[in-house]
């Protein structure tokens, strides 16, 4: 929080020299209690922070035990600084640390977005860390960090420069970005590959519908130069939204999508070719003035799993998990599906309570030594109740 207050203070105190027209604070507080029958993973970590797959039986401490947690990590805080009429700076934080199961005062701000935006006539430009141009829709769920990642939704944050051009009902988009993150202390494949990603998107908006197609491509080379790969993905999407209903749909096909920092399954530390396909569909329906239901399905699968590695390596016969940029073994998931159903009730204008349940079905890639000890197919059921206050 000190970082957030510091940024706010700097922007506020710099008002005289920078001549800000307006500072806008936004975000939400999300408090939720989660119960899981069987173990779950949150983007590869065996905890309930942002669940999106059934637990890996080799890595989870208690893969068949029921667990419960209380979380506020997904709460979000953002600040927009409007400079003149058409220039805006944005900082956005949450408090998620997937490596901490249920922290309290150990939570720390995590930078989500930091970008500068400039609009001129029909053009809009964004530079910084922001959501991918590719895979633009967000599925409906209160699990904002985990949602349908690894089961049909690929879109994630990227360091990039975007340009959007609006032409009537059409929007043309192009972006150049960094291929993936690197949390190591030294340069590795992302930096040494030198090639940026290229993304293209075409969007049509008519009445209550928005639909279109997008693509992303990059090029990666191992530091040893013994192998290179050209990961890519293609995506089609559609959204319907009016006062009572909302529908979001995306489907994709790609090669080595997780090597490009997209939230898919196909990652290869050795840049072996992996094919993947997936889709999700979610909906929200207004039942009455304060009552809504929401539901959805998502699924993703690696099509040539023989090239997929487990999410761990065996050192002295014991599994060791490593999921850090540049040396990751990946999630080691062959296929992953999720089904969700929820109910929300508007207590006040900006205060909502909700109940959400999810069923997860996951097939893990296991080392040959573990295939006789564990089943690679895992399921889990999640029950969640929470409160959300919008700022």
């Amino acid at each position: 929080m000190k970082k957030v207050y510091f940024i706010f203070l700097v922007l506020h105190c710099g008002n005289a020299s920078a001549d800000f027209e307006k500072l806008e604070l936004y975000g939400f507080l999300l408090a939720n209690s989660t119960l899981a029958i069987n173990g779950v993973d949150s983007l590869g970590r065996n905890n309930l922070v942002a669940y999106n797959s059934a637990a890996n039986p080799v890595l989870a401490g208690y893969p068949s035990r029921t667990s419960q947690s209380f979380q506020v990590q997904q709460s979000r805080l953002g600040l927009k600084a409007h400079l003149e009429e058409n220039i805006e700076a944005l900082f956005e934080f949450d408090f998620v640390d997937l490596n901490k199961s249920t922290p309290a005062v150990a939570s720390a701000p995590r930078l989500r977005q930091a970008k500068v935006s400039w609009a001129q006539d029909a053009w809009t430009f964004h530079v910084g860390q922001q959501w991918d141009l590719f895979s633009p829709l967000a599925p409906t769920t209160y699990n904002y960090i985990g949602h349908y990642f690894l089961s049909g939704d690929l879109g994630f944050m990227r360091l990039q420069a975007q340009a959007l051009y609006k032409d009537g009902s059409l929007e043309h988009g192009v972006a150049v970005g960094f291929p993936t993150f690197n949390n190591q202390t030294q340069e590795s494949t992302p930096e040494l590959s030198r090639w940026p990603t290229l993304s293209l998107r075409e969007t049509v908006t008519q009445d209550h519908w928005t639909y279109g197609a997008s693509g992303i491509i990059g090029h990666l080379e191992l530091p040893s130069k013994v192998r290179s790969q050209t990961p890519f993905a293609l995506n089609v999407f559609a959204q319907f939204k009016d006062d009572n209903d909302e529908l979001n749909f995306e489907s994709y096909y790609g090669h080595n999508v997780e090597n490009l920092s997209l939230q898919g399954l196909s990652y290869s530390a050795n840049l072996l070719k992996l094919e993947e396909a997936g889709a999700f569909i979610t909906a929200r329906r207004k039942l009455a003035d304060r009552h809504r239901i929401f539901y959805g399905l998502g699924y993703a699968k690696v099509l040539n799993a023989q090239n997929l590695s487990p999410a761990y390596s065996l050192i002295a016969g014991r599994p060791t998990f490593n999921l850090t940029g540049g040396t990751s073994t990946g999630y080691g998931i062959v296929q992953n599906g999720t089904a969700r159903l929820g109910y929300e009730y508007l207590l006040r204008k900006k205060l909502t309570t909700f109940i959400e349940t999810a069923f997860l079905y996951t097939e893990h890639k296991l080392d040959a030594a573990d295939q006789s000890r564990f089943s690679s197919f895992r399921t889990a059921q999640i029950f969640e109740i929470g409160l959300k206050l919008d700022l």
Side-chain angles (χ1 to χ4, degrees):
M1 287 298 293
K2 291 181 180 179
K3 293 182 180 179
V4 178
Y5 292 143
F6 175 74
I7 292 170
F8 181 84
L9 183 63
V10 169
L11 291 174
H12 179 74
C13 293
N15 192 31
S17 59
D19 193 25
F20 290 114
E21 291 192 345
K22 185 172 67 172
L23 290 173
E24 178 185 348
L25 188 68
Y26 70 93
F28 56 80
L29 188 153
L30 182 69
N32 56 290
S33 179
T34 308
L35 176 72
I37 300 175
N38 291 334
V40 299
D41 286 347
S42 298
L43 291 168
R45 282 74 163 178
N46 180 215
N47 57 48
L48 289 164
V49 174
Y51 59 87
N52 46 26
S53 64
N56 187 307
V58 178
L59 297 171
Y62 306 96
S64 299
R65 290 283 300 273
T66 297
S67 59
Q68 187 271 339
S69 180
F70 191 94
Q71 302 280 344
V72 294
Q73 291 188 78
Q74 293 199 36
S75 300
R76 189 173 302 175
L77 188 63
L79 181 68
K80 294 179 182 179
H82 301 272
L83 179 62
E84 301 177 355
E85 184 179 355
N86 57 353
I87 300 177
E88 176 184 282
L90 182 146
F91 290 94
E92 184 179 283
F93 299 85
D94 63 21
F95 306 90
V96 170
D97 186 342
L98 296 171
N99 294 311
K100 297 175 182 177
S101 182
T102 310
V105 294
S107 297
R110 180 184 72 152
L111 182 64
R112 291 172 50 83
Q113 295 192 76
K115 66 176 181 178
V116 174
S117 301
W118 172 50
Q120 183 67 40
D121 300 324
W123 289 92
T124 304
F125 302 93
H126 306 284
V127 178
Q129 179 172 303
Q130 59 196 298
W131 284 105
D132 254 318
L133 185 79
F134 181 83
S135 188
L137 302 183
T140 304
T141 175
Y142 278 88
N143 183 12
Y144 291 106
I145 303 302
H147 51 94
Y148 286 69
F149 287 157
L150 314 187
S151 59
D153 184 24
L154 291 181
F156 198 56
M157 299 293 178
R158 188 175 303 277
L159 296 158
Q160 61 185 313
Q162 290 185 7
L164 304 171
Y165 181 76
K166 189 73 173 178
D167 182 14
S169 62
L170 299 176
E171 183 186 69
H172 315 288
V174 60
V176 176
F178 196 68
T180 185
F181 62 90
N182 182 359
N183 291 338
Q184 299 182 101
T185 58
Q186 64 183 20
E187 295 176 338
S188 186
T189 301
E191 295 85 5
L192 298 176
S193 296
R194 300 180 303 280
W195 288 90
T197 59
L198 174 64
S199 302
L200 299 174
R201 188 178 75 199
E202 291 293 317
T203 307
V204 181
T205 302
Q206 293 181 334
D207 299 324
H208 297 291
W209 283 95
T210 299
Y211 54 90
S214 59
I216 185 171
I217 190 170
H219 184 78
L220 296 171
E221 184 179 79
L222 291 177
S224 60
K225 297 185 178 181
V226 298
R227 187 178 292 112
S228 64
Q229 185 63 255
T230 304
F232 72 91
L234 303 172
N235 178 40
V236 295
F237 58 90
Q239 180 184 66
F240 175 85
K241 193 171 185 178
D242 64 12
D243 293 337
N244 296 314
D245 295 283
E246 180 180 346
L247 176 73
N248 294 289
F249 168 79
E250 284 190 4
S251 65
Y252 70 89
Y253 169 80
H255 287 188
N256 298 77
V257 299
E258 215 271 312
N259 282 95
L260 287 183
S261 185
L262 298 169
Q263 291 303 311
L265 307 176
S266 52
Y267 180 92
S268 173
N270 297 317
L271 296 184
L272 299 176
K273 180 180 177 182
L274 289 168
E275 298 180 71
E276 179 180 346
F280 76 83
I281 183 168
T282 64
R284 173 186 273 129
R285 172 73 175 175
K286 183 178 180 181
L287 301 177
D289 187 41
R290 294 176 179 267
H291 304 267
R292 294 174 177 85
I293 60 170
F294 57 94
Y295 43 91
L297 296 170
Y299 179 77
K301 183 176 183 178
V302 177
L303 303 179
N304 57 332
Q306 67 271 15
N307 288 342
L308 186 68
S309 299
Y312 59 93
S313 57
L314 293 176
I315 298 179
R318 303 186 64 179
T320 300
F321 176 56
N322 182 21
L323 190 62
T324 56
T327 61
S328 171
T329 51
Y331 297 113
I333 294 176
V334 177
Q335 57 179 320
N336 189 48
T338 180
R340 298 176 186 263
L341 174 65
Y343 164 79
E344 54 188 338
Y345 178 73
L346 189 64
L347 295 169
R348 295 289 188 272
K349 184 178 180 180
K350 293 187 176 183
L351 183 63
T352 305
T353 185
F354 66 91
I355 299 172
E356 183 170 354
T357 182
F359 176 80
L360 304 176
Y361 170 85
T362 308
E363 180 187 359
H364 294 275
K365 183 70 176 285
L366 302 183
D367 187 90
D370 295 316
Q371 292 175 9
S372 61
R373 300 193 303 133
F374 301 99
S375 172
S376 60
F377 295 92
R378 304 293 301 178
T379 63
Q381 299 81 45
I382 296 95
F383 303 92
E384 188 171 4
I385 185 169
L387 193 70
K388 181 190 176 190
L389 175 64
D390 292 296
L391 300 181

